[in-house]
Amino acid sequence: MLSDETNECIIIDPGMDSAEEEEQMTDYISEHHLKPVLLVNTHTHIDHILGNSFIASHYKLKLAAHKDSAQFIQRAKGQAQMFGMEMDSTKSIDIFLSEEETLDFGHSSLQILLTPGHADGSLCFYSKKDDFVITGDVLFNQSIGRTDLPTGDYDLLQKSIWEKLFTLPDETTAYPGHGPETEIGFEKIHNPFVAIGKELD
Ligand SMILES: [Zn+2]
Ligand SMILES: [Zn+2]
């Protein structure tokens, strides 16, 4: 969830799958007097969209994601059952995001980066003003997204990381979809899954 001084907020990849987790989210939002204005998915793997329907209906929000993410949403119900999770309904994408646009709320404007490789249509969101990037499942703290799921492509993932993320300033804080935050400059040196070793050898 991202908010700014206007108290408007956007909710990115709500993964909660229980009433308790839903309540934690709505409590946080009401306690901080936030006003959710948009639901966003970096990509639409099951663990990133489980809370979509709840959030969209509770706050009457539209869902924004890349058009290539639509294919996964259609498959999500079956996927959820496979993993023993319940998914009552799926929310379809209302607004297609592309690199030509920005992701705007309150006084904030995030640059949209198309970063396929982990999944087609994967997006990262970069704030130049506040020096951070939301990296979804593309780049993690000392790891990278898996490429063995449908539309996964290792070379494409490396290309996305090098061309879209490692071209950001070194001091940019990266917030991944899983695990602790990190910094772009740190990952360039310490991430063992990024092919920088070729240059160091
Ligand atoms: Zn994923
Ligand atoms: Zn994930």
Side-chain angles (χ1 to χ4, degrees), residues 145-183:
R146 57 193 283 189
T147 54
D148 59 331
L149 297 170
T151 76
D153 181 323
Y154 180 82
D155 292 336
L156 192 57
L157 182 63
Q158 291 285 344
K159 190 172 144 72
S160 291
I161 291 170
W162 278 96
E163 290 183 1
K164 301 292 173 67
L165 298 179
F166 282 4
T167 47
L168 301 176
D170 279 352
E171 61 276 15
T172 307
T173 302
Y175 295 101
H178 307 273
E181 63 190 67
T182 184
E183 255 182 30

Side-chain angles (χ1 to χ4, degrees), residues 43 45 47-48 118 136-137 140 177-178:
H43 66 301
H45 279 154
D47 53 321
H48 296 252
H118 168 69
D137 283 359
F140 301 118
H178 307 273

Side-chain angles (χ1 to χ4, degrees), residues 13-18 21-22 41 44-55 76 80 85-89:
D13 294 354
M16 64 275 208
D17 64 348
S18 67
E21 286 178 2
E22 288 169 1
N41 287 150
T44 48
H45 279 154
I46 188 81
D47 53 321
H48 296 252
I49 67 171
L50 276 174
N52 271 2
S53 292
F54 170 75
I55 291 293
M85 293 184 274
E86 258 183 73
M87 196 164 188
D88 300 336
S89 57

Side-chain angles (χ1 to χ4, degrees), residues 55-149:
I55 291 293
S57 62
H58 191 84
Y59 293 110
K60 304 202 170 25
L61 298 183
K62 288 188 167 157
L63 171 62
H66 191 271
K67 65 174 169 38
D68 291 346
S69 284
Q71 56 182 314
F72 301 98
I73 292 185
Q74 285 152 14
R75 286 201 296 253
K77 256 189 165 167
Q79 217 193 356
Q81 279 169 354
M82 230 167 64
F83 287 106
M85 293 184 274
E86 258 183 73
M87 196 164 188
D88 300 336
S89 57
T90 49
K91 173 88 187 85
S92 55
I93 301 171
D94 302 298
I95 299 167
F96 289 135
L97 298 174
S98 76
E99 279 191 321
E100 285 74 51
E101 301 151 82
T102 51
L103 182 58
D104 300 322
F105 65 97
H107 295 157
S108 302
S109 182
L110 305 182
Q111 195 184 330
I112 297 171
L113 311 172
L114 180 59
T115 51
H118 168 69
D120 271 2
S122 278
L123 299 174
C124 293
F125 305 110
Y126 172 55
S127 169
K128 194 179 166 121
K129 186 175 128 241
D130 294 314
D131 271 335
F132 72 85
V133 61
I134 306 287
T135 61
D137 283 359
V138 175
L139 182 71
F140 301 118
N141 189 324
Q142 297 175 73
S143 188
I144 60 175
R146 57 193 283 189
T147 54
D148 59 331
L149 297 170

